[in-house]
Amino acid sequence: MKKNHQILLFLTLGLFSLTTKIETGSAQSPSLTQTSNNQADILFGQALELYRHGDYNQALLKFEQSLKLYQTQNNKLGQADSLNNIGLVYYHLEESQKALDYYNQALPIYKALGDRSGEARALISLGNIYNRLGESQKALDYYNQSLAIFKAVGDRSGEADSLNNIGLVYNRLGESQKALDYHNQALPIYKAVGDRSGEAGALNNIGNIYNRLGESKKALDYYNQALPIHKAVGDRSGEAGALNNIGNIYNRLGESKKALDYYNQALPIYKAVGDRSGEAFSLYNLALSHYLQKNLEQALSDINSAIAIVEDLRIKIINKDLRTSYFATVQDYYQLKIKLLMELDYKYPKQGYNIQALETSESARARSLLELLQEAKANIKQGADPQILKSEKEIILELDEFEKLRIETLSKNQALPASLTEKIDQLKQQYQEIQTQIRKSSPRYASLTQPQPLKLAQIQQLLDPNSVILEYALANEKSYLFMITKDNFSSYQIDGQEKIEKLIQQYQRAIKMKVSLKQVASPLRDILLAPVLSQIGNKRLIIVADGSLQTIPFSTINNINNEPLLQTNELINLPSASTLAILRDNKSTTKKPSKTLAIFADPIFNPDDPRLTKVNKTNNNKANELTRAAAENSINFVRLTNTKTEAENISKLLPVNQEQLFIDFAANKVNISNSELANYRILHLATHGLFNTQDPSRSGLLLSRYNQQGEPENGQLFLEDIFNLNLSNSELVVLSACQTGIGQQIKGEGIVGISRGFMYAGSPRVVVSLWNVDDLATSILMSKFYQGLLQQGLTAAQSLRNAQLEMLKDPNYQAPYYWSPFILIGDWN
C-alpha cells in the first residue's frame, strides 16, 4: 500500500508575530491496488487524484461512493481508508466537526483489523483536528501515540509526519527549542524518503520558529526554500501558507507594502482551493497591513470579511468545548477590529464607530455561554434519540463506579493504577461525544437559531436609571473601557493589558497578606475607573470584565473618596451584557418555587471522620484557620466544622417547612441530583471547592464520599454533573466554598468554571468566591447575608453588599481577604 502525503494548512495567530503552520497528514489507499478492476478501488483512486489536485467536493463524492461499495463488499480496510479520507476532505473544507466524526469511525476499524499504520494515520488526523481547534494537549497525545506506532512498524514517512506535528504543538505552546528539535528530526527523514511536500512543510515550520524568536532573516530563508517546493509539487495550500508567512516577515520588518503584495498573492489561492480558514487569515493579514499604512477604512473592510468567515466556521462545530477552543484561536480578529473602530472613532468622532467597537466586544465574549443558556431553555434532550440518551446514562453510571474505585484506592494510600486513570479519561471522552450526538439527534437543537449578541440600544433597554455597565476589552498595546447607562454611552482608551496584569498580580499578593489595599488599589483605580469616577456616583455597577480582571473584586478598588467602592456602590458581575438578556428571558416562564432554601453542608470526606468511625476525636481548634479549597487528586480533605454551624444558623431564619438541611451523610451527590431541588428558590452549598484551570470539566464541588455503612461513594460533583441538575425554578445558588468563581481562562469565553454550570441548570444568579476563603469568616458572612435576604427582603446583591459592609466594620475582619472574595454573577433584580 503506497502512502501519499497531503500537506494540510493550519493557522496560528498573533497580532504582530503571525505564522502559518503546516500540518502533515496522508491521503490513504486501501490494501487493494488502484489498478484493480474492483469498482470501489477505481472510485477510490479517482478520489485520490481529485483530492491531490484540490478538487475537494468531487473527491468527497467519489470517496463516499467508494465507501458504500466497500460496505457492500464487507471490505473493512477499504471502509476505514474511505472514512479517514472523507474526514480529510472535510478537514480541508473547514467542516471540523464532520471530519472528527469520520476519523472517529475509521480509528476503531483500523484497531480491530490490527492495521497499525492505518491506526497511526487516523491518530494523526485526529491530532490535526484538535490542533486546529486549539486543543493542544489532546493533539499532542494523538501525535505521540502515532509516533510510537510508526516507529514500531518502521514507517519512516509516518514517523516524520508525527515528529513534524509534535513540533507544531510545542511551537503553539511557546516551547520554541523543543519545537525546533522535532522539526529538525522530521526534515532529514522527509528528504531521505523523497517526500517533497513533507520537506516543504518542515521548512515552513522551522521558519515559523525563527519568526517567533525574532530572527527574521533566518525565517525568510526557510520560507523561501519552502515556497518553490510547494509550487513544484502542486501544493496550492502550502504555497499560500508560505506566501502568507513571507508577508508576515515583511510586516515585522516594517515593509507593509511588500507584505501586502504577498498577502494578495495568497488570498486568491486560498479562495481557489476552498480553504476558508486560510482565506480568513489572509484577510486578517491584509487588514493588519492596511492598518499599519493608516488605511483604516480598507482595514475595517478586510477584517469584517475575515470575521464573517470565522463566524460561519464556528457555528459548524457542534461539540461545545471544541467550538469554544476554536473561537479562542481567532480572538485576534476581534481585537484588531475593536482597535480599528476606536481609531476611526478618534478620527471621525460622533460617527458611531465606538458603538460598533462595543458591539464587537460583545460579539467576541461568552458566545458559548449564550448558546448553552439558549439550549437550557429549549431542553434539547427532549426528542433526542432515546438510545443515545440511554448511552449517556450508562456512561454516567460507569463514571460514577470508577470514581468510587478511585476514592477507595486513594483512601488506602495506594497509588492509582494507570489503567484506572486511563479508563476515567476514556469515559470522559465518550461522554463529550455523547453530548455532541444528543445535539445532532435533537429536533429542538436543530430548530434553534444562534443567539445574537446585543446591540447598544438593546443593552440599554435592560438597564434602569440607577445602573451602569462598565465593559472592558483588554489588548496588548491599548485597552478600552465602555460605559453604558440607560440614556448614554461613552468609550475610553486605557493602558495595555501587560501593565494592568502586573498591577493585578501586586493586588493579589496584597490580598493574601491580609493588608489594606489602598496602595495597590489606587493605581488600579487610576487605570480602570479614573475616566468614569465622576459619573458613576453611587449607582449600581455591572462589571463586564476581561482577562485577569475577572479574578479581582471591583468592590475593593478605591472610589473617588479613596475608599473601597463597596462603600458607595452595589457591584454585579456579568460574562457579557448579552448574557443578562437571555438569563432574564429564561426565567420569564418558570414557576414560583414552593419552598425557600436547600442547604448542603459538612459532608463526610475521609474514612477516619468521627461520624463514620464513631471514634470521638478532639478537634485541634484550628478550624478558623482552614480554607474550603481542595486539590482534585488529594484524598484527605479537612472537615469544615463551621459549615454545619453556618447551615443551622441560616435554617433558623425560616419556617421548618420552607427549608431542607442536607448535612453529614445526607450532603451527597444523590440528594443534590434529585429533581425535587427544583422546588427550592435558593440552593446553598457549603463545602470544599475543586478547581482545575487546565480542564474545566474537572472543576466542581465535593460532597459526602462515604455512606452510613462506611462504603465509598462518588462525592465529586463535576461540571458535567452540575449541567445535569434540575434547578429550573431556582432564583439563586450560593457556593460557600473556595475559588468557585475561578476556572480555566479561555480567550473570548472568559472564565469557564462551575458558575456557568449552575446558570445552565437554571439559576439566573450565582454567588461565588475568587480565592481560598477563611472558614469561620465565611460562616459569619453567610449568616449576615441570609439575614438581609430572608428577613429584610433585600435582593441577593443588596444582601451581599450589606453583609460585606458589616464585616468591613469588624476589626477582626477588616482586611479585604475576609469580606471581598464573594461576588454575584448574573441578574441583580
Side-chain angles (χ1 to χ4, degrees):
M1 178 168 62
K2 186 178 178 182
K3 187 165 176 289
N4 302 283
H5 289 291
Q6 174 65 29
I7 301 301
L8 305 180
L9 179 70
F10 183 77
L11 311 170
T12 184
L13 308 174
L15 196 55
F16 286 98
S17 178
L18 307 174
T19 56
T20 298
K21 292 183 175 181
I22 305 296
E23 286 177 353
T24 45
S26 50
Q28 300 154 38
S29 305
S31 55
L32 296 172
T33 67
Q34 293 175 39
T35 57
S36 165
N37 292 324
N38 186 322
Q39 184 62 26
D41 294 344
I42 293 169
L43 287 166
F44 192 99
Q46 291 171 349
L48 282 176
E49 285 306 308
L50 289 164
Y51 170 82
R52 289 176 191 133
H53 288 92
D55 192 346
Y56 298 129
N57 288 311
Q58 286 301 310
L60 180 62
L61 181 64
K62 297 287 186 181
F63 279 133
E64 287 173 339
Q65 290 172 351
S66 70
L67 174 61
K68 288 178 182 176
L69 285 177
Y70 285 133
Q71 287 170 336
T72 302
Q73 299 165 4
N74 199 29
N75 182 335
K76 295 294 185 183
L77 184 55
Q79 290 175 44
D81 285 341
S82 295
L83 287 165
N84 201 63
N85 284 340
I86 289 171
L88 192 61
V89 174
Y90 276 125
Y91 180 96
H92 278 285
L93 293 174
E94 306 294 337
E95 296 271 6
S96 296
Q97 185 67 58
K98 286 184 179 179
L100 188 63
D101 294 343
Y102 278 97
Y103 293 151
N104 278 323
Q105 292 178 63
L107 181 60
I109 299 176
Y110 285 128
K111 285 183 175 179
L113 292 172
D115 183 342
R116 298 283 280 159
S117 287
E119 177 186 350
R121 287 195 298 275
L123 288 167
I124 277 192
S125 297
L126 284 164
N128 288 348
I129 284 287
Y130 285 114
N131 203 3
R132 164 185 277 174
L133 298 178
E135 293 278 356
S136 299
Q137 191 53 56
K138 274 188 179 178
L140 194 59
D141 291 343
Y142 281 113
Y143 291 150
N144 278 321
Q145 289 178 58
S146 68
L147 178 61
I149 295 172
F150 282 134
K151 283 184 173 180
V153 300
D155 186 333
R156 294 284 281 160
S157 289
E159 181 183 346
D161 287 347
S162 298
L163 290 166
N164 195 45
N165 290 340
I166 290 170
L168 294 179
V169 179
Y170 281 121
N171 194 24
R172 171 187 279 264
L173 294 173
E175 298 189 45
S176 300
Q177 190 54 56
K178 254 187 177 179
L180 194 58
D181 291 343
Y182 278 98
H183 291 314
N184 279 328
Q185 291 178 63
L187 183 58
I189 299 176
Y190 282 132
K191 288 180 176 179
V193 299
D195 186 342
R196 295 283 280 161
S197 290
E199 179 186 349
L203 288 166
N204 229 325
N205 292 330
I206 292 170
N208 291 341
I209 295 170
Y210 285 119
N211 190 4
R212 175 188 282 273
L213 295 173
E215 297 190 44
S216 300
K217 188 177 178 182
K218 270 189 177 180
L220 191 59
D221 178 54
Y222 278 97
Y223 294 148
N224 281 324
Q225 290 179 62
L227 180 59
I229 300 176
H230 285 308
K231 287 181 176 179
V233 299
D235 178 10
R236 298 284 279 158
S237 286
E239 179 185 349
L243 289 165
N244 244 332
N245 286 342
I246 293 170
N248 294 336
I249 293 294
Y250 285 118
N251 246 344
R252 176 189 286 275
L253 296 173
E255 298 185 49
S256 53
K257 286 186 78 172
K258 219 171 187 179
L260 274 172
D261 178 53
Y262 280 95
Y263 296 147
N264 280 318
Q265 291 179 62
L267 181 60
I269 297 175
Y270 283 133
K271 287 181 176 179
V273 299
D275 187 336
R276 299 199 72 207
S277 278
E279 182 183 348
F281 186 50
S282 279
L283 287 164
Y284 171 84
N285 286 335
L286 284 165
L288 181 59
S289 293
H290 286 302
Y291 164 75
L292 294 173
Q293 291 186 334
K294 302 303 180 185
N295 187 353
L296 301 182
E297 289 84 353
Q298 182 59 51
L300 183 60
S301 173
D302 290 334
I303 200 63
N304 280 335
S305 299
I307 287 176
I309 292 171
V310 301
E311 286 282 352
D312 183 55
L313 295 178
R314 190 187 73 86
I315 291 170
K316 291 179 180 178
I317 304 167
I318 298 174
N319 182 296
K320 62 182 176 65
D321 295 329
L322 294 180
R323 183 181 286 189
T324 298
S325 59
Y326 167 73
F327 200 47
T329 68
V330 294
Q331 280 301 297
D332 286 341
Y333 291 29
Y334 294 87
Q335 284 190 6
L336 180 56
K337 182 176 177 181
I338 292 170
K339 184 176 183 177
L340 284 168
L341 288 166
M342 291 302 289
E343 295 215 9
L344 282 165
D345 182 68
Y346 179 78
K347 188 176 180 181
Y348 306 111
K350 299 183 180 180
Q351 298 297 308
Y353 285 111
N354 58 343
I355 295 174
Q356 291 183 52
L358 165 71
E359 292 169 354
T360 302
S361 174
E362 280 292 300
S363 295
R365 66 176 75 228
R367 295 286 293 284
S368 293
L369 177 59
L370 277 181
E371 290 155 0
L372 284 171
L373 293 174
Q374 186 192 50
E375 285 180 23
K377 185 178 182 181
N379 188 12
I380 63 167
K381 289 186 180 180
Q382 191 169 335
D385 187 331
Q387 187 57 48
I388 296 174
L389 295 176
K390 181 184 175 185
S391 298
E392 180 194 33
K393 288 181 181 177
E394 290 171 352
I395 289 174
I396 289 171
L397 289 172
E398 196 173 358
L399 257 174
D400 196 61
E401 289 302 314
F402 277 99
E403 286 291 351
K404 286 180 188 176
L405 182 57
R406 190 178 77 90
I407 292 165
E408 190 174 16
T409 303
L410 289 171
S411 67
K412 295 175 182 176
N413 293 319
Q414 296 175 354
L416 285 175
S419 57
L420 176 58
T421 304
E422 184 179 339
K423 181 62 178 177
I424 291 173
D425 288 342
Q426 286 175 356
L427 287 169
K428 280 174 54 189
Q429 180 71 25
Q430 289 174 32
Y431 179 81
Q432 290 300 322
E433 290 169 6
I434 285 287
Q435 297 309 302
T436 301
Q437 290 177 37
I438 288 172
R439 287 179 172 85
K440 286 182 179 178
S441 71
S442 167
R444 293 196 171 199
Y445 181 83
S447 66
L448 289 178
T449 56
Q450 293 294 316
Q452 295 302 307
L454 299 185
K455 302 296 185 181
L456 173 62
Q458 295 170 305
I459 295 171
Q460 289 177 316
Q461 288 174 12
L462 300 171
L463 299 178
D464 56 71
N466 192 47
S467 298
V468 178
I469 291 178
L470 300 179
E471 180 160 330
Y472 293 85
L474 301 187
N476 294 335
E477 293 181 325
K478 304 169 185 175
S479 300
Y480 303 97
L481 165 61
F482 305 103
M483 187 178 81
I484 311 165
T485 68
K486 189 167 186 62
D487 302 312
N488 292 295
F489 169 74
S490 51
S491 58
Y492 307 90
Q493 180 181 305
I494 59 176
D495 287 330
Q497 187 166 1
E498 185 177 351
K499 183 174 181 179
I500 290 171
E501 288 184 342
K502 283 181 180 177
L503 288 173
I504 288 173
Q505 289 169 8
Q506 294 173 20
Y507 171 97
Q508 290 169 333
R509 285 194 294 269
I511 283 277
K512 292 175 183 177
M513 294 170 65
K514 303 175 186 176
V515 298
S516 167
L517 291 183
K518 281 191 176 181
Q519 287 184 332
V520 288
S522 293
L524 275 175
R525 176 199 62 193
D526 294 343
I527 293 176
L528 301 176
L529 296 173
V532 298
L533 270 178
S534 61
Q535 303 172 63
I536 60 177
N538 60 357
K539 292 183 178 181
R540 177 186 298 112
L541 301 182
I542 299 103
I543 307 298
V544 180
D546 192 16
S548 55
L549 288 178
Q550 298 166 96
T551 66
I552 62 169
F554 274 63
S555 59
T556 59
I557 298 177
N558 298 344
N559 62 19
I560 202 164
N561 300 318
N562 213 32
E563 299 169 331
L565 276 175
L566 181 75
Q567 300 272 30
T568 49
N569 303 84
E570 178 185 310
L571 291 108
I572 315 295
N573 290 73
L574 281 174
S576 70
S578 302
T579 306
L580 180 60
I582 200 165
L583 284 172
R584 287 183 177 174
D585 185 52
N586 283 6
K587 298 311 290 185
S588 62
T589 56
T590 58
K591 299 176 183 177
K592 187 173 179 62
S594 58
K595 297 182 180 180
T596 302
L597 179 63
I599 305 176
F600 286 74
D602 199 16
I604 313 290
F605 299 133
N606 304 314
D608 61 350
D609 189 293
R611 295 165 289 179
L612 192 63
T613 63
K614 308 298 182 185
V615 176
N616 291 323
K617 296 187 177 181
T618 303
N619 289 331
N620 58 12
N621 202 31
K622 290 185 179 178
N624 62 329
E625 294 297 324
L626 300 172
T627 65
R628 303 183 186 194
E632 181 191 344
N633 291 322
S634 175
I635 191 63
N636 293 313
F637 296 92
V638 177
R639 179 183 176 184
L640 298 170
T641 311
N642 285 307
T643 63
K644 186 170 188 176
T645 306
E646 176 182 319
E648 290 171 344
N649 288 341
I650 294 168
S651 68
K652 291 174 184 176
L653 302 172
L654 286 166
V656 174
N657 64 345
Q658 285 295 302
E659 51 80 31
Q660 176 70 54
L661 285 180
F662 297 94
I663 295 179
D664 302 329
F665 298 101
N668 59 38
K669 193 172 179 179
V670 172
N671 283 331
I672 203 169
S673 302
N674 194 317
S675 61
E676 290 297 310
L677 276 187
N679 294 327
Y680 290 89
R681 183 163 66 93
I682 304 167
L683 173 62
H684 181 92
L685 293 152
T687 183
H688 280 300
L690 303 167
F691 65 97
N692 189 316
T693 56
Q694 299 304 311
D695 182 0
S697 70
R698 305 304 287 173
S699 295
L701 297 166
L702 193 65
L703 299 170
S704 284
R705 302 200 296 179
Y706 296 90
N707 61 25
Q708 288 175 304
Q709 288 71 47
E711 299 165 337
E713 292 185 326
N714 178 16
Q716 295 177 117
L717 189 74
F718 289 129
L719 188 55
E720 60 261 30
D721 302 312
I722 297 169
F723 273 99
N724 286 316
L725 296 180
N726 181 6
L727 304 176
S728 56
N729 300 317
S730 169
E731 295 178 12
L732 172 67
V733 171
V734 178
L735 303 179
S736 182
C738 278
Q739 294 182 295
T740 49
I742 298 299
Q744 185 182 23
Q745 280 198 44
I746 299 178
K747 287 179 71 176
E749 196 59 33
I751 289 179
V752 177
I754 60 178
S755 61
R756 65 178 48 204
F758 283 103
M759 286 181 174
Y760 181 89
S763 180
R765 59 194 64 83
V766 186
V767 172
V768 298
S769 61
L770 296 176
W771 56 79
N772 293 344
V773 298
D774 178 272
D775 190 29
L776 181 56
T778 298
S779 181
I780 296 169
L781 176 71
M782 287 300 162
S783 294
K784 295 179 184 296
F785 169 72
Y786 280 102
Q787 286 170 17
L789 191 66
L790 302 176
Q791 292 187 327
Q792 300 171 34
L794 301 177
T795 66
Q798 291 167 341
S799 299
L800 181 60
R801 178 175 176 242
N802 284 2
Q804 290 175 328
L805 283 170
E806 286 191 47
M807 296 288 283
L808 183 59
K809 294 172 187 174
D810 188 328
N812 295 316
Y813 298 110
Q814 284 182 337
Y817 169 81
Y818 295 108
W819 59 262
S820 69
F822 288 99
I823 62 171
L824 187 141
I825 301 175
D827 188 2
W828 60 89
N829 284 346

